[in-house]
Amino acid sequence: MAFNSNIEDFDALDNEHIGTSENTPMRNDAFKLNNEEKIDIIKDDVRHIMETLGLDLTDDSLNGTPNRVAKMFVNEIFGGLDPDKKPSASTFDNKYKYGEMLVEKNITVYSTCEHHLLPIVGRAHIAYISNGTVVGLSKMNRIVDYFAKRPQVQERLTIQVVRELQEVLGTKDVACIIDAKHLCVNSRGIRDIESSTVTSEFGGKFKDMGTRREFLDYIKLDTKF
């Protein structure tokens, strides 16, 4: 009875999208198996799920689904769990002495809600103020993509992006805003297709309201080519 009660408690928390840690919860033996071994195990698990649902896996359309899903989990949508895939962020001396805010906006976010394993789709906006070091523009996109490719809550993703860039750049003056739709809200449960979730993390100078407002104003700029 206590076990069932705990399951109900966890289910209620999941519907509230509560995260438990700034770091992605990982077991100590998370990398004991190689990727091929993980794919083989997940393939069998997906097959069992589909068979339990009553699907006929001898059908040509369904026969390869367990393997496709397993490879997708390990190599693609949860590839950000693999520390070997963490992007190396090359930094450079700020020789041109650019001292203003740099903003990379409208970075595409594809992630997965860790409560229901449904997609999170949105945009990230990042800014930093150099203290003598700059980072390649595409590296910011890659950092977002790396941390997004794992089971996530949006709050944690926002924090992880900021913490990583703070470490790479050697400055606290980093900010990130993410605006995203969660299919666990849009396609199930309340099924509200219009709502989106906005999260933010402001470090260093971005805690100042004037600097924060400048960042928000840049995001509003309508960029057309």
Side-chain angles (χ1 to χ4, degrees):
M1 185 65 68
F3 179 72
N4 289 335
S5 176
N6 286 336
I7 288 178
E8 291 173 0
D9 290 343
F10 280 123
D11 192 46
L13 286 175
D14 289 347
N15 282 325
E16 294 300 326
H17 301 279
I18 293 174
T20 57
S21 171
E22 181 176 311
N23 299 314
T24 302
M26 300 287 289
R27 296 201 323 267
N28 291 333
D29 63 348
F31 307 106
K32 181 178 179 180
L33 301 175
N34 63 40
N35 285 352
E36 290 305 315
E37 290 170 327
K38 291 179 180 180
I39 289 171
D40 283 340
I41 293 171
I42 294 171
K43 176 174 60 179
D44 290 339
D45 291 337
V46 174
R47 179 180 294 108
H48 182 232
I49 291 171
M50 296 178 70
E51 289 174 343
T52 302
L53 290 171
L55 295 169
D56 179 7
L57 268 69
T58 65
D59 184 270
D60 289 343
S61 180
L62 297 177
N63 184 261
T65 298
N67 188 57
R68 284 191 293 266
V69 172
K71 289 171 65 176
M72 176 185 69
F73 275 13
V74 173
N75 297 328
E76 296 180 68
I77 65 173
F78 298 143
L81 294 172
D82 185 350
D84 290 338
K85 293 186 176 181
K86 186 176 180 179
S88 58
S90 301
T91 57
F92 311 91
D93 290 337
N94 185 8
K95 294 181 179 179
Y96 29 83
K97 305 301 180 184
Y98 179 75
E100 300 299 321
M101 186 185 306
L102 186 146
V103 179
E104 183 83 358
K105 65 177 186 174
N106 294 326
I107 299 171
T108 301
V109 172
Y110 285 113
S111 192
T112 304
C113 167
E114 69 181 35
H115 300 132
H116 296 96
L117 298 186
L118 286 172
I120 300 171
V121 182
R123 301 282 184 179
H125 314 283
I126 298 174
Y128 73 88
I129 300 171
S130 174
N131 69 347
T133 301
V134 295
V135 66
L137 295 179
S138 68
K139 297 302 182 183
M140 291 191 282
N141 300 62
R142 294 182 189 280
I143 287 171
V144 170
D145 190 56
Y146 172 71
F147 286 104
K149 281 194 166 74
R150 55 180 68 181
Q152 274 288 15
V153 292
Q154 188 172 322
E155 297 93 330
R156 182 194 298 132
L157 173 58
T158 310
I159 293 170
Q160 287 176 333
V161 168
V162 169
R163 296 290 180 269
E164 179 66 16
L165 280 168
Q166 287 176 330
E167 182 175 344
V168 167
L169 291 163
T171 178
K172 293 292 185 182
D173 302 333
V174 179
C176 177
I177 294 175
I178 298 177
D179 183 4
K181 284 183 173 289
H182 294 238
L183 265 69
C184 55
V185 173
N186 302 147
S187 67
R188 60 161 299 280
I190 191 63
R191 290 180 294 177
D192 182 349
I193 64 172
E194 297 299 330
S195 66
S196 68
T197 300
V198 178
T199 51
S200 62
E201 179 71 9
F202 300 105
K205 294 178 182 178
F206 287 93
K207 293 185 180 295
D208 175 76
M209 288 304 298
T211 306
R212 186 179 305 187
R213 173 52 56 191
E214 181 182 351
F215 175 35
L216 296 173
D217 287 342
Y218 282 134
I219 291 174
K220 294 177 185 177
L221 292 175
D222 187 13
T223 305
K224 293 182 180 180
F225 296 96

